[in-house]
Amino acid sequence: MSDVKRMSKRAQKAQETRRRILQAALELFVQDGYGATNLQDIAAKAGVAVQTIYFVFGNKRTLLKELVDVTIAGDDEPVATMDRPWYTGALAAGTAQDMLRAYVVGTTSVLERVAPIGKVLEAAVASDPEVAALWPNDVDPRHVVQQRAARALVGKPGARAEMSVEEAADLLYGLLSPELYLLFVHERGWPRERWERWACQTLSAQLCSG
């Protein structure tokens, strides 16, 4: 076997181990809470030695950070949200209405993934200042994403003429928030299709002309 093939198999195995650890962490954090879950529990569920988790992630805090990042992205590829095909495709739409339709669908997929871990992260940040420090509070990444989307939207045909980038970004940030998604979909039981329809109609009424 060539060195290249051997390294490829080793890399594939390492990636699969990493994914098993992340999946086990997600299930246990959601089921038992961040504070009550220890690395031994995660290792047992993932079928690995606890030393493997320390080697791959360092500690429980950095494991949570990686889990949140991967959950938002949808995979473990090092591609930022604003470089993802769903995002660039939505922003490339020809009209404001077409962009909103595509953008709401793409954002909803992110919200579906993030929702289960949102409360876990909230509790972890509240109980452990070192967890909060993993996400600097001087810049809100979600607002940065919405601001770029807003800048693209206000320049398209069909956008409300008097709408500023700042106001559009605030509306996207608020109406497509994890909190609002959880309220309607998880607490009120809305199916995804109803949420997408409502979000698109509401944003269109605010951001689009006519």
Side-chain angles (χ1 to χ4, degrees):
M1 183 182 296
S2 69
D3 289 342
V4 173
K5 288 183 178 179
R6 188 178 296 111
M7 287 300 295
S8 177
K9 285 191 174 182
R10 186 179 300 169
Q12 289 175 0
K13 184 177 179 181
Q15 189 176 49
E16 178 55 35
T17 298
R18 185 172 178 275
R19 287 173 178 167
R20 288 207 318 273
I21 294 170
L22 287 169
Q23 183 60 37
L26 174 61
E27 292 176 11
L28 289 174
F29 286 159
V30 171
Q31 175 184 300
D32 301 329
Y34 175 79
T37 301
N38 58 52
L39 293 184
Q40 287 78 10
D41 297 330
I42 296 170
K45 190 170 186 65
V48 301
V50 70
Q51 289 83 1
T52 301
I53 299 181
Y54 283 115
F55 177 77
V56 176
F57 295 101
N59 56 46
K60 190 169 77 165
R61 296 185 188 96
T62 52
L63 171 57
L64 175 65
K65 173 68 164 61
E66 184 69 13
L67 177 60
V68 171
D69 291 346
V70 168
T71 301
I72 292 171
D75 56 48
D76 54 5
E77 296 298 321
V79 180
T81 297
M82 292 186 290
D83 295 324
R84 296 267 163 179
W86 77 264
Y87 186 89
T88 57
L91 269 60
T95 68
Q97 281 280 10
D98 288 342
M99 176 184 158
L100 278 176
R101 277 191 287 268
Y103 194 71
V104 167
V105 170
T107 302
T108 299
S109 294
V110 176
L111 292 171
E112 278 186 329
R113 295 192 300 268
V114 171
I117 201 172
K119 291 184 178 179
V120 172
L121 179 58
E122 184 179 337
V125 167
S127 64
D128 187 344
E130 292 188 46
V131 171
L134 294 173
W135 286 273
N137 58 14
D138 55 336
V139 176
D140 185 337
R142 195 167 69 81
H143 188 266
V144 172
V145 168
Q146 305 296 15
Q147 194 169 43
R148 179 181 289 187
R151 189 173 293 111
L153 186 139
V154 299
K156 293 185 183 296
R160 183 167 287 182
E162 70 275 16
M163 182 64 60
S164 68
V165 172
E166 290 74 18
E167 186 175 357
D170 286 346
L171 288 167
L172 291 172
Y173 185 85
L175 288 170
L176 297 178
S177 65
E179 294 83 4
L180 204 57
Y181 174 85
L182 283 169
L183 176 65
F184 283 118
V185 176
H186 284 235
E187 294 188 30
R188 302 308 308 156
W190 283 19
R192 173 174 174 150
E193 294 76 15
R194 184 180 179 187
W195 157 263
E196 287 181 350
R197 184 170 62 253
W198 174 84
C200 192
Q201 289 173 347
T202 304
L203 285 167
S204 293
Q206 294 291 317
L207 298 171
C208 298
S209 60

